[in-house]
Amino acid sequence: SWGFDQCLVAQGFLVVNPGIRGSFGRGKDWNRPMLHSYGGLDIEDIADCVHGLIEQGYVDPERIGLWGSSYGGLMTLMSLFKKPGFYAAGIAGAPATNVSHAYPEQEWIMGAPRGEDYPARYERQSALYHTAGLADPLMIIHGTRDEVVRYGDTIALIERFIAQGERLELVTLPGSGHSWARESRAQPRLGYGKMVEFFATHLKPR
């Protein structure tokens, strides 16, 4: 997404990519605290980054947005749901809203589907079960041919928002897979264009 980051910078945004716990290549000691912690330590790492930027005077605390895709989409959703009012807006691309559908690939974080605390443990780590916390503008971008994260999970999330009377923006990319930003030029251009418009609406000075 470096090209999109540069686009945001050209529009006057400050872009930061924090290194959260659970990132690859850091070793067991770095990753071990992440066990059973989707939507826990990871979103706190992001919030710590934001607090540091605020303390150093780089950002306006009233105009901070976040976005990510796949796991980053899950973090975006969890951040908005668990920290209402902390961010001004968020964009979740191909969000992994239900971690039970990530099994067994991500078992090293969410844990095996067994034990006395299952399935409550999976629900605790799934954005699908925390939608009541939404209080800030949200956009979701998802391709209908996603081979990693089910497009149906996004629809299940939307159904919960409808039942709650919440409003959000959904950008559907017909035929796009999980790496929607690598599809034919037209679809990423549409998605990124919508993202720039969304952040410009909710983050720039009125």
Side-chain angles (χ1 to χ4, degrees), residues 115-184:
E116 294 182 358
D117 61 344
Y118 174 81
R121 173 168 30 93
Y122 272 30
E123 293 181 2
R124 186 174 66 250
Q125 300 176 86
S126 298
L128 181 64
Y129 301 98
H130 299 276
T131 57
L134 181 64
D136 308 296
L138 168 64
M139 171 185 285
I140 296 177
I141 299 178
H142 207 161
T144 59
R145 195 178 50 82
D146 195 323
E147 68 284 4
V148 177
V149 175
R150 300 180 183 181
Y151 180 74
D153 285 347
T154 285
I155 298 303
L157 193 76
I158 299 298
E159 290 175 341
R160 284 182 176 252
F161 287 136
I162 292 174
Q164 295 169 198
E166 297 285 355
R167 297 174 62 89
L168 77 156
E169 293 189 37
L170 173 63
V171 178
T172 294
L173 300 177
S176 285
H178 190 61
S179 299
W180 57 271
R182 297 180 181 179
E183 299 286 346
S184 63

Side-chain angles (χ1 to χ4, degrees), residues 50-125:
V50 172
H51 284 303
L53 293 171
I54 294 173
E55 291 171 1
Q56 296 178 64
Y58 286 122
V59 299
D60 179 352
E62 301 297 322
R63 295 189 290 119
I64 297 172
L66 77 165
W67 86 275
S69 198
S70 191
Y71 171 40
L74 170 61
M75 287 190 291
T76 297
L77 293 177
M78 286 295 216
S79 294
L80 293 183
F81 297 169
K82 292 189 173 184
K83 296 180 177 295
F86 187 77
Y87 299 97
I91 301 174
T97 60
N98 190 342
V99 301
S100 65
H101 294 157
Y103 177 83
E105 287 81 3
Q106 299 302 318
E107 182 180 338
W108 66 284
I109 288 185
M110 63 198 187
R114 56 180 177 268
E116 294 182 358
D117 61 344
Y118 174 81
R121 173 168 30 93
Y122 272 30
E123 293 181 2
R124 186 174 66 250
Q125 300 176 86

Side-chain angles (χ1 to χ4, degrees), residues 178-201:
H178 190 61
S179 299
W180 57 271
R182 297 180 181 179
E183 299 286 346
S184 63
R185 291 184 180 181
Q187 295 227 25
R189 186 175 297 159
L190 169 67
Y192 283 146
K194 297 292 290 185
M195 291 169 69
V196 170
E197 292 174 4
F198 184 79
F199 277 149
T201 297

Side-chain angles (χ1 to χ4, degrees), residues 20-42:
I20 63 166
R21 278 170 285 192
S23 302
F24 289 108
R26 298 292 190 94
K28 289 183 178 180
D29 290 342
W30 176 257
N31 288 325
R32 188 174 291 112
M34 278 294 295
L35 181 63
H36 302 171
S37 189
Y38 275 137
L41 292 176
D42 44 15

